[in-house]
Amino acid sequence: MINVSCTFTYALKRTYRTLMRDVYQRIISPNFGKNYSSALYITGNKANKTFAYLSPYLDFDERFNNLEKLQKNLTLRGMDVDVVKLKEKWDFYVKMVADKYALEEHSKELTDRIKTLSESGELTSEQEQEVLKLRMQNRIVREDLKAMKEAIHDMDDDVVGNLLKLPNELDLNTPFNEPITLKSVGSVPEISENKKSHIDIGTDLKLLDFKNPMCYYLSNNAVLFELAVLAYAGRIFDENNMVRIIGTDFGRSLLVEASGLNHEDPMAAFIIENHNEIERDSPNRMHLVGGASLISFLAMHTKQLIDPKKFPLKYFSTGRQYTPFSQDFHNCGLFTASQASVAHVFVMVKDAKSEDYRMLFEELLETVCRLYDDLCDHYRVVARPASELQSSEEMRVSFEMWSPFLNQYIEIGYISTYGEYLSKRLLIAYQTPTGRDFPAVISGTVLSVPRLLACLLEQNPNKFAIPSKIAECIL
């Protein structure tokens, strides 16, 4: 038995090294864009430097069950990734982890055998020889186990870290190529040929002092409008039995990454540079996101076990949202403002396949449409195509208003479905009779006040016409 075990150990060692070399020569790293180290999945070799708050639920076996569907998903999103090679890489990683567990179990068996012999009293010469052989074999197994663990740690970022960048599955209702208009209310307003930007109009009417996307000031009736429109939105959501939440303005890198963003990219989320509790090179830093944002809501429920009787959970928040202004885009005034007063909604449903999930999405859509009916004469509701979605979104429905100056529609708000994508990454779960499951999420910034104000100014350049329902809130 001892000789057979030694043969097994040496054979495993040779096979593991050969496989690792051959597979890595064959498998090309997936192209997920800019590379960054994961803050969501802390690898074993970083555990002594970085605290791992959680380990996300890895559903890659489920994702790889239908390679054709996954490949189509990636292609529609404009991602050039070979899912066959991706699956080979994952399968190899899983095999290595299984081999590691086999070595650990084998080492335990050898240790138990040595302990049993040692405690049996005075050993015969044959038993002493057997103990020596068992110890030698256990030493070899432990050396193999150490090498295996180091190899797995080296692969963690390359395999698991990259696979966590896989986007969410697309909803069947998501358009493939072009946006689809689901609803249009009113008609495009007629404006004279001398079209002015909302910055010029706001300046002339003494409503706006715009310096750049990072710095602008509202004044006079524009300030009252901002406060009143958020109060009116809150009233609409209150009537829909949603709970008002005051969220945190800051979030950790793991939350940023969990939402599908690159936490190391300052153009994805503002990074707090001089936070005295976090080292500069830490993979889990602080970000300024705003209390009315998806990340703020996710922070409330991360690693939380929710009572299933509490579903559905329906929240909303009105407040600040901070989004970096990319230098790659043209400065479009309030349309690209980095600081915005917004209304954001967040709904959690027990089952992504249930009727409640679809029903609550439609209900939320109707509620927001009712809000826009009172805010403007013309808007449209549009389903965004796959190529325009963020990686965490299954489906996105936008609320758009017309900008006469830019001669195009501008997204003023949106609602997205995320399925179980976010809850699996952040271990947001609920108890079931057979274990635990993950709730589905519906969320979105349904109203951006700066963008709404900009469109209203451009549509009536001579006078700031506050919608009657909002004017009632001011009086």
Side-chain angles (χ1 to χ4, degrees):
M1 174 182 173
I2 297 173
N3 291 334
V4 171
S5 297
C6 278
T7 303
F8 165 77
T9 303
Y10 281 118
L12 178 60
K13 191 172 184 178
R14 289 196 303 273
T15 303
Y16 140 66
R17 287 175 175 170
T18 304
L19 272 174
M20 189 168 72
R21 184 184 64 248
D22 292 345
V23 170
Y24 268 81
Q25 286 176 349
R26 290 190 291 114
I27 299 177
I28 302 173
S29 294
N31 178 23
F32 287 112
K34 293 182 179 179
N35 189 34
Y36 57 90
S37 61
S38 179
L40 186 60
Y41 180 79
I42 303 300
T43 58
N45 57 347
K46 297 177 183 175
N48 62 333
K49 299 179 181 178
T50 304
F51 175 73
Y53 185 71
L54 57 81
S55 182
Y57 176 80
L58 305 180
D59 62 349
F60 304 136
D61 286 330
E62 300 171 32
R63 301 296 302 274
F64 288 132
N65 276 341
N66 191 334
L67 290 183
E68 184 179 350
K69 179 182 178 181
L70 179 57
Q71 186 68 71
K72 183 179 180 181
N73 185 339
L74 296 172
T75 302
L76 288 172
R77 289 177 181 270
M79 301 176 70
D80 182 19
V81 179
D82 188 334
V83 297
V84 174
K85 293 188 179 297
L86 206 59
K87 184 177 185 302
E88 288 179 3
K89 206 165 193 177
W90 170 247
D91 289 343
F92 178 66
Y93 176 82
V94 170
K95 183 183 183 306
M96 287 189 65
V97 173
D99 288 345
K100 186 198 76 167
Y101 287 139
L103 283 174
E104 287 175 340
E105 184 63 28
H106 188 45
S107 177
K108 184 178 181 300
E109 290 174 0
L110 292 171
T111 301
D112 291 344
R113 176 61 178 159
I114 293 170
K115 183 179 180 181
T116 301
L117 288 172
S118 301
E119 293 176 349
S120 62
E122 189 174 344
L123 301 180
T124 64
S125 59
E126 290 182 358
Q127 288 176 325
E128 288 178 351
Q129 286 296 318
E130 183 179 359
V131 169
L132 288 175
K133 290 179 181 180
L134 287 170
R135 285 175 175 167
M136 180 183 67
Q137 184 181 345
N138 199 18
R139 185 170 62 251
I140 295 171
V141 171
R142 289 179 181 276
E143 288 176 358
D144 287 352
L145 184 57
K146 181 181 178 181
M148 183 75 79
K149 287 181 178 179
E150 289 175 354
I152 290 174
H153 289 162
D154 291 340
M155 293 177 63
D156 272 337
D157 260 339
D158 188 37
V159 179
V160 181
N162 270 317
L163 288 178
L164 282 171
K165 298 174 188 176
L166 277 174
N168 200 350
E169 293 185 10
L170 292 173
D171 189 279
L172 295 176
N173 295 315
T174 294
F176 287 168
N177 301 310
E178 298 294 330
I180 295 177
T181 301
L182 304 176
K183 177 181 180 179
S184 183
V185 176
S187 57
V188 176
E190 296 183 4
I191 307 296
S192 63
E193 293 184 2
N194 297 323
K195 298 175 183 177
K196 298 169 64 177
S197 75
H198 60 269
I199 296 178
D200 292 335
I201 297 169
T203 302
D204 292 343
L205 296 178
K206 299 186 181 340
L207 298 172
L208 175 66
D209 180 9
F210 185 89
K211 300 184 182 302
N212 57 59
M214 295 286 291
C215 181
Y216 67 93
Y217 303 93
L218 301 182
S219 56
N220 300 319
N221 281 345
V223 177
L224 298 176
F225 172 78
E226 179 184 53
L227 297 173
V229 74
L230 291 179
Y232 186 73
R235 184 186 303 172
I236 294 290
F237 295 131
D238 280 332
E239 293 172 356
N240 198 42
N241 297 319
M242 301 184 75
V243 179
R244 183 188 293 270
I245 296 295
I246 300 176
T248 174
D249 281 329
F250 303 93
R252 294 285 188 178
S253 295
L254 72 94
L255 297 170
V256 174
E257 183 181 343
S259 68
L261 302 176
N262 178 354
H263 67 91
E264 293 182 355
D265 184 1
M267 291 297 102
F270 285 114
I271 301 173
I272 307 300
E273 290 287 350
N274 58 349
H275 191 256
N276 56 12
E277 294 181 5
I278 304 296
E279 296 180 6
R280 184 176 182 83
D281 297 327
S282 170
N284 197 11
R285 298 162 74 180
M286 292 290 285
H287 301 260
L288 177 65
V289 294
S293 65
L294 173 62
I295 293 171
S296 182
F297 279 101
L298 291 176
M300 292 172 51
H301 294 294
T302 295
K303 207 176 177 181
Q304 187 178 87
L305 186 64
I306 301 171
D307 184 349
K309 296 178 182 178
K310 301 297 183 182
F311 290 108
L313 300 176
K314 299 162 59 176
Y315 307 128
F316 78 93
S317 180
T318 56
R320 294 295 190 189
Q321 188 176 103
Y322 302 96
T323 307
F325 168 67
S326 175
Q327 301 300 323
D328 296 334
F329 294 98
H330 180 64
N331 180 355
C332 295
L334 294 179
F335 295 139
T336 53
S338 294
Q339 175 181 267
S341 295
V342 306
H344 193 96
V345 296
F346 186 87
V347 176
M348 275 204 292
V349 186
K350 189 163 28 174
D351 186 0
K353 298 181 177 62
S354 68
E355 281 297 317
D356 285 347
Y357 186 52
R358 293 295 169 191
M359 183 184 70
L360 282 168
F361 176 77
E362 294 295 334
E363 180 184 292
L364 189 56
L365 202 61
E366 290 179 11
T367 300
V368 179
C369 285
R370 192 163 76 249
L371 172 62
Y372 276 93
D373 287 341
D374 296 333
L375 293 180
C376 52
D377 296 325
H378 172 58
Y379 71 93
R380 69 177 191 177
V381 183
V382 177
R384 312 310 314 179
S387 60
E388 296 181 15
L389 301 187
Q390 292 187 357
S391 64
S392 57
E393 294 173 315
E394 287 182 332
M395 177 176 64
R396 181 185 184 112
V397 174
S398 297
F399 303 92
E400 297 182 336
M401 288 180 62
W402 182 254
S403 166
F405 183 73
L406 296 180
N407 198 36
Q408 69 181 54
Y409 282 98
I410 298 295
E411 182 184 81
I412 309 299
Y414 68 90
I415 303 174
S416 298
T417 61
Y418 297 90
E420 300 167 349
Y421 183 86
L422 299 172
S423 56
K424 285 181 176 180
R425 292 163 77 88
L426 292 173
L427 298 187
I428 305 171
Y430 63 92
Q431 196 72 45
T432 67
T434 57
R436 295 182 180 182
D437 211 340
F438 301 95
V441 173
I442 304 167
S443 187
T445 300
V446 295
L447 175 66
S448 171
V449 176
R451 294 186 176 197
L452 170 65
L453 176 61
C455 287
L456 292 177
L457 288 175
E458 291 185 7
Q459 291 174 12
N460 195 344
N462 299 318
K463 179 183 178 182
F464 181 36
I466 299 178
S468 58
K469 291 286 185 180
I470 306 304
E472 292 174 6
C473 295
I474 297 177
L475 298 176

